Amino acid sequence: MPATPLWSRQLGLTHPIVQAPMAGGATTPELVSAVSASGALGTLAAALLGPSAIARQIADIRTRTDRPFGVNLFVLPSPFPDPEPAVVEQALSWLAPHYATFGLPLPDVHAPGWRWCEDFQAQLEAVAEAAPACVSFTFGIVDRATVARLQARGSLVLGTATTVAEAQAWEAAGADAVTAQGSEAGAHRGTFLQPAERSLIGTLPLVRACVQAVSIPVIAAGGIMDGAGIAAVQALGAQAAQMGTAFLVCDEARIPEPHRLALLAARGGTAATRITRAFSGREARGIVNTYMQAMQPLEARLPPYPILNALTGPLRKAAAEAGDAQYLSLWAGQGVPLARPLPAAQLIERLVAELQQTRERLA
Ligand SMILES: Cc1cc2nc3c(=O)[nH]c(=O)nc-3n(C[C@H](O)[C@H](O)[C@H](O)COP(=O)(O)O)c2cc1C
């Protein structure tokens, strides 16, 4: 099967498939290395990891495979400024009934060691030092000097775009490729230029418009679940398909059991997913549950990421431990009914066979 230029020439990959970074522990070194060893691109989600955990997990992947892989970060202000106390108090009062459901005290934001998020610059240093084959970003954009520094260390730089203007901004910053994230995509929106509600473009028109607007390679993301989906985005001009939800049910992915069960229950049906700010303060797509519905009237007033994300952390952890899917972020894309729980290598084998069959069918 002919590999696309970015993939074959610069990365030496066999298949035009990227396993999406998925923050929260899903992208274990086992998953990333299994994907990369199969000839696709595995990606470690490092957004919620501190610098030493980033270095450790990258080293772990390198003991498992010598194939290229990517590392992904959320672009956040560094240092992250403390929010107004009144904003935190208000959010905690809205969360109080949900914490009470689990008999949990509200989080103490004045406790020693409390932090709103990992420090972005410190994470970036750890990633730059490790120099993985790819470094990708979402939630924002980095400057030309940062892009050039990563490239000088041998990393390709990939940005996330949810609009054509964001793809153009990444091209102007010197990125090697851009991931066009359609509104079907699971979990957080990468939007950084326009309000989220004006950046909800489906994968088909977004990928097509980005391919026409930028000259760097475009990777398509959002709702791609099988080889036919990969062929579809290749027909639009994408050089590769980035898939999250499809890999989330792989044996090597680590997610809370209630999340996994909700994903599996959605198979073959029509799962109701929608975009919500209720868990983290940033728009993200997940399977609708009790907490999402209860918080819906407040959504527009909730504090932004990472403030709300930190404030709901203990609640989500308690829900996961209690096996309760109703208070957990059940991140999933619109393609979740098509998910197949398989070892990553077998999923890639199937994707590649389906891609070939689709090409033959269309020829
Ligand atoms: C559970 C989950 C976590 C995600 N975490 C990240 C992340 O840390 N960084 C990132 O750039 N994208 C993240 N994404 C978005 C993916 O990169 C990608 O855009 C999305 O999965 C594509 O849509 P799909 O889920 O329909 O395949 C996440 C997606 C999921 C499902």
Side-chain angles (χ1 to χ4, degrees):
M1 170 168 326
T4 47
L6 173 77
W7 269 202
S8 55
R9 206 175 327 115
Q10 288 180 265
L11 281 172
L13 300 185
T14 319
H15 309 308
I17 299 168
V18 181
Q19 164 254 306
M22 292 183 280
T27 57
T28 57
E30 290 87 345
L31 179 66
V32 176
S33 57
V35 170
S36 287
S38 301
L41 186 72
T43 316
L44 174 71
L48 304 181
L49 304 176
S52 51
I54 291 174
R56 234 180 7 256
Q57 294 209 12
I58 291 175
D60 189 347
I61 296 166
R62 284 180 168 149
T63 63
R64 295 167 189 271
T65 183
D66 57 4
R67 304 296 301 152
F69 60 90
V71 179
N72 174 268
L73 291 175
F74 296 166
V75 181
L76 292 172
S78 170
F80 189 80
D82 272 331
E84 289 294 326
V87 168
V88 174
E89 288 311 311
Q90 176 67 88
L92 285 174
S93 75
W94 286 326
L95 292 173
H98 303 300
Y99 271 91
T101 305
F102 289 89
L104 275 181
L106 286 170
D108 177 4
V109 304
H110 306 294
W114 175 269
R115 53 164 70 185
W116 296 105
C117 57
E118 295 293 338
D119 180 64
F120 173 65
Q121 278 305 329
Q123 291 177 312
L124 189 60
E125 287 310 312
V127 174
E129 173 67 27
C134 276
V135 180
S136 65
F137 296 99
T138 189
F139 290 15
I141 189 162
V142 294
D143 59 18
R144 282 190 77 92
T146 303
V147 171
R149 182 173 157 229
L150 293 166
Q151 289 167 334
R153 292 198 45 87
S155 301
L156 290 181
V157 176
L158 274 52
T160 302
T162 60
T163 61
V164 166
E166 288 172 354
Q168 288 169 324
W170 272 110
E171 181 173 45
D176 295 285
V178 67
T179 302
Q181 185 193 39
S183 57
E184 298 93 324
H188 287 103
R189 311 286 308 138
T191 302
F192 61 95
L193 285 182
Q194 300 257 20
E197 66 275 12
R198 281 161 57 194
S199 309
L200 290 171
I201 306 157
T203 302
L204 253 77
L206 179 66
V207 168
R208 192 68 189 142
C210 286
V211 165
Q212 289 176 0
V214 298
S215 54
I216 53 175
V218 174
I219 300 162
I224 305 163
M225 300 301 292
D226 59 15
I230 300 170
V233 295
Q234 284 190 322
L236 299 170
Q239 291 211 0
Q242 176 158 310
M243 305 164 72
T245 304
F247 283 100
L248 198 54
V249 293
C250 279
D251 294 359
E252 298 90 342
R254 193 169 55 229
I255 56 174
E257 193 55 17
H259 188 179
R260 185 177 162 80
L261 292 175
L263 296 171
L264 297 180
R267 284 166 65 227
T270 48
T273 67
R274 76 168 169 81
I275 292 175
T276 180
R277 294 184 66 235
F279 287 104
S280 73
R282 177 173 268 268
E283 289 76 6
R285 183 178 291 285
I287 296 172
V288 177
N289 63 6
T290 304
Y291 174 82
M292 260 167 82
Q293 283 171 312
M295 294 297 277
Q296 190 164 16
L298 297 168
E299 283 214 13
R301 297 159 67 194
L302 294 169
Y305 190 97
I307 301 162
L308 189 65
N309 193 59
L311 295 179
T312 63
L315 179 66
R316 289 178 283 121
K317 187 163 177 277
E321 282 165 8
D324 188 339
Q326 296 307 317
Y327 289 82
L328 198 60
S329 43
L330 303 174
W331 301 141
Q334 288 182 331
V336 63
L338 300 169
R340 294 168 288 189
L342 290 169
Q346 277 183 38
L347 176 62
I348 290 168
E349 224 173 87
R350 285 213 199 170
L351 294 172
V352 170
E354 291 162 353
L355 177 56
Q356 189 58 34
Q357 285 158 12
T358 307
R359 285 182 178 151
E360 285 163 12
R361 187 156 46 81
L362 295 175

mmCIF file of all heavy atoms in Angstrom, residues 10 79 81 94 107 114 135 171 199 252 293 297 315 321 323:
data_model
loop_
_atom_site.group_PDB
_atom_site.id
_atom_site.type_symbol
_atom_site.label_atom_id
_atom_site.label_comp_id
_atom_site.label_asym_id
_atom_site.label_seq_id
_atom_site.Cartn_x
_atom_site.Cartn_y
_atom_site.Cartn_z
ATOM 1 N N GLN A 10 9.477 11.211 5.936
ATOM 2 C CA GLN A 10 10.044 11.813 7.145
ATOM 3 C C GLN A 10 9.934 10.926 8.382
ATOM 4 O O GLN A 10 10.745 11.017 9.276
ATOM 5 C CB GLN A 10 9.382 13.168 7.400
ATOM 6 C CG GLN A 10 9.848 14.217 6.393
ATOM 7 C CD GLN A 10 9.210 15.557 6.640
ATOM 8 O OE1 GLN A 10 8.200 15.875 6.038
ATOM 9 N NE2 GLN A 10 9.776 16.322 7.534
ATOM 10 N N PRO A 79 3.573 30.622 34.064
ATOM 11 C CA PRO A 79 2.828 29.813 35.031
ATOM 12 C C PRO A 79 1.329 30.108 34.925
ATOM 13 O O PRO A 79 0.950 31.197 34.506
ATOM 14 C CB PRO A 79 3.385 30.282 36.384
ATOM 15 C CG PRO A 79 3.872 31.680 36.133
ATOM 16 C CD PRO A 79 4.322 31.727 34.709
ATOM 17 N N PRO A 81 -2.061 31.395 36.027
ATOM 18 C CA PRO A 81 -2.423 32.354 37.084
ATOM 19 C C PRO A 81 -3.554 31.849 37.974
ATOM 20 O O PRO A 81 -4.479 31.187 37.488
ATOM 21 C CB PRO A 81 -2.881 33.583 36.292
ATOM 22 C CG PRO A 81 -3.285 33.063 34.950
ATOM 23 C CD PRO A 81 -2.501 31.806 34.686
ATOM 24 N N TRP A 94 -21.768 25.194 43.070
ATOM 25 C CA TRP A 94 -22.532 24.425 42.079
ATOM 26 C C TRP A 94 -22.179 22.935 42.140
ATOM 27 O O TRP A 94 -23.005 22.072 41.845
ATOM 28 C CB TRP A 94 -22.238 24.957 40.663
ATOM 29 C CG TRP A 94 -22.889 26.283 40.366
ATOM 30 C CD1 TRP A 94 -24.101 26.724 40.834
ATOM 31 C CD2 TRP A 94 -22.370 27.332 39.540
ATOM 32 N NE1 TRP A 94 -24.366 27.987 40.336
ATOM 33 C CE2 TRP A 94 -23.322 28.373 39.539
ATOM 34 C CE3 TRP A 94 -21.200 27.501 38.789
ATOM 35 C CZ2 TRP A 94 -23.158 29.563 38.832
ATOM 36 C CZ3 TRP A 94 -21.029 28.673 38.074
ATOM 37 C CH2 TRP A 94 -21.990 29.694 38.098
ATOM 38 N N PRO A 107 -13.134 19.945 47.304
ATOM 39 C CA PRO A 107 -11.673 20.071 47.283
ATOM 40 C C PRO A 107 -11.223 21.363 47.973
ATOM 41 O O PRO A 107 -11.895 22.392 47.867
ATOM 42 C CB PRO A 107 -11.332 20.100 45.794
ATOM 43 C CG PRO A 107 -12.608 20.213 45.058
ATOM 44 C CD PRO A 107 -13.733 19.890 45.974
ATOM 45 N N TRP A 114 -1.759 21.935 46.265
ATOM 46 C CA TRP A 114 -2.841 22.089 45.280
ATOM 47 C C TRP A 114 -2.312 22.795 44.044
ATOM 48 O O TRP A 114 -1.566 23.767 44.142
ATOM 49 C CB TRP A 114 -3.993 22.918 45.880
ATOM 50 C CG TRP A 114 -5.064 23.199 44.846
ATOM 51 C CD1 TRP A 114 -5.143 24.276 44.014
ATOM 52 C CD2 TRP A 114 -6.171 22.360 44.516
ATOM 53 N NE1 TRP A 114 -6.232 24.175 43.184
ATOM 54 C CE2 TRP A 114 -6.881 22.997 43.475
ATOM 55 C CE3 TRP A 114 -6.627 21.132 45.002
ATOM 56 C CZ2 TRP A 114 -8.028 22.445 42.909
ATOM 57 C CZ3 TRP A 114 -7.777 20.579 44.418
ATOM 58 C CH2 TRP A 114 -8.467 21.241 43.398
ATOM 59 N N VAL A 135 6.055 16.031 17.936
ATOM 60 C CA VAL A 135 5.485 16.715 19.096
ATOM 61 C C VAL A 135 4.219 17.400 18.595
ATOM 62 O O VAL A 135 4.270 18.159 17.622
ATOM 63 C CB VAL A 135 6.450 17.762 19.694
ATOM 64 C CG1 VAL A 135 5.809 18.442 20.895
ATOM 65 C CG2 VAL A 135 7.774 17.118 20.088
ATOM 66 N N GLU A 171 0.447 26.847 10.125
ATOM 67 C CA GLU A 171 1.367 26.899 8.975
ATOM 68 C C GLU A 171 2.301 28.096 9.122
ATOM 69 O O GLU A 171 3.519 27.982 8.936
ATOM 70 C CB GLU A 171 0.574 26.991 7.664
ATOM 71 C CG GLU A 171 1.478 27.029 6.445
ATOM 72 C CD GLU A 171 0.705 26.954 5.132
ATOM 73 O OE1 GLU A 171 -0.311 27.656 4.984
ATOM 74 O OE2 GLU A 171 1.141 26.178 4.261
ATOM 75 N N SER A 199 -16.699 27.184 16.008
ATOM 76 C CA SER A 199 -15.590 26.355 15.503
ATOM 77 C C SER A 199 -16.003 24.890 15.481
ATOM 78 O O SER A 199 -15.202 24.005 15.775
ATOM 79 C CB SER A 199 -14.361 26.548 16.395
ATOM 80 O OG SER A 199 -14.088 27.913 16.565
ATOM 81 N N GLU A 252 -4.822 -2.383 25.217
ATOM 82 C CA GLU A 252 -3.683 -1.718 25.881
ATOM 83 C C GLU A 252 -4.048 -0.353 26.460
ATOM 84 O O GLU A 252 -3.244 0.244 27.177
ATOM 85 C CB GLU A 252 -2.525 -1.539 24.893
ATOM 86 C CG GLU A 252 -1.941 -2.833 24.344
ATOM 87 C CD GLU A 252 -2.631 -3.297 23.060
ATOM 88 O OE1 GLU A 252 -3.765 -2.834 22.781
ATOM 89 O OE2 GLU A 252 -2.034 -4.118 22.346
ATOM 90 N N GLN A 293 -26.235 16.290 32.295
ATOM 91 C CA GLN A 293 -27.586 16.844 32.191
ATOM 92 C C GLN A 293 -27.869 17.817 33.335
ATOM 93 O O GLN A 293 -28.439 18.885 33.130
ATOM 94 C CB GLN A 293 -28.610 15.718 32.154
ATOM 95 C CG GLN A 293 -28.647 15.078 30.783
ATOM 96 C CD GLN A 293 -29.493 13.817 30.753
ATOM 97 O OE1 GLN A 293 -29.356 12.948 31.617
ATOM 98 N NE2 GLN A 293 -30.355 13.722 29.774
ATOM 99 N N PRO A 297 -27.777 23.605 32.573
ATOM 100 C CA PRO A 297 -28.233 24.998 32.682
ATOM 101 C C PRO A 297 -27.117 25.964 33.094
ATOM 102 O O PRO A 297 -27.245 27.175 32.863
ATOM 103 C CB PRO A 297 -29.314 24.932 33.774
ATOM 104 C CG PRO A 297 -29.681 23.496 33.906
ATOM 105 C CD PRO A 297 -28.490 22.704 33.488
ATOM 106 N N LEU A 315 -14.136 14.398 42.221
ATOM 107 C CA LEU A 315 -15.468 13.845 41.955
ATOM 108 C C LEU A 315 -15.383 12.742 40.891
ATOM 109 O O LEU A 315 -15.939 11.644 41.056
ATOM 110 C CB LEU A 315 -16.408 14.977 41.481
ATOM 111 C CG LEU A 315 -17.832 14.582 41.126
ATOM 112 C CD1 LEU A 315 -18.585 14.106 42.364
ATOM 113 C CD2 LEU A 315 -18.573 15.773 40.485
ATOM 114 N N GLU A 321 -13.888 5.104 40.948
ATOM 115 C CA GLU A 321 -13.645 4.069 41.962
ATOM 116 C C GLU A 321 -14.938 3.362 42.369
ATOM 117 O O GLU A 321 -14.935 2.177 42.690
ATOM 118 C CB GLU A 321 -12.960 4.693 43.182
ATOM 119 C CG GLU A 321 -11.468 4.930 42.912
ATOM 120 C CD GLU A 321 -10.804 5.857 43.925
ATOM 121 O OE1 GLU A 321 -11.448 6.212 44.934
ATOM 122 O OE2 GLU A 321 -9.652 6.224 43.682
ATOM 123 N N GLY A 323 -17.344 2.814 40.387
ATOM 124 C CA GLY A 323 -17.919 2.147 39.213
ATOM 125 C C GLY A 323 -19.154 2.868 38.694
ATOM 126 O O GLY A 323 -20.023 2.267 38.068
#
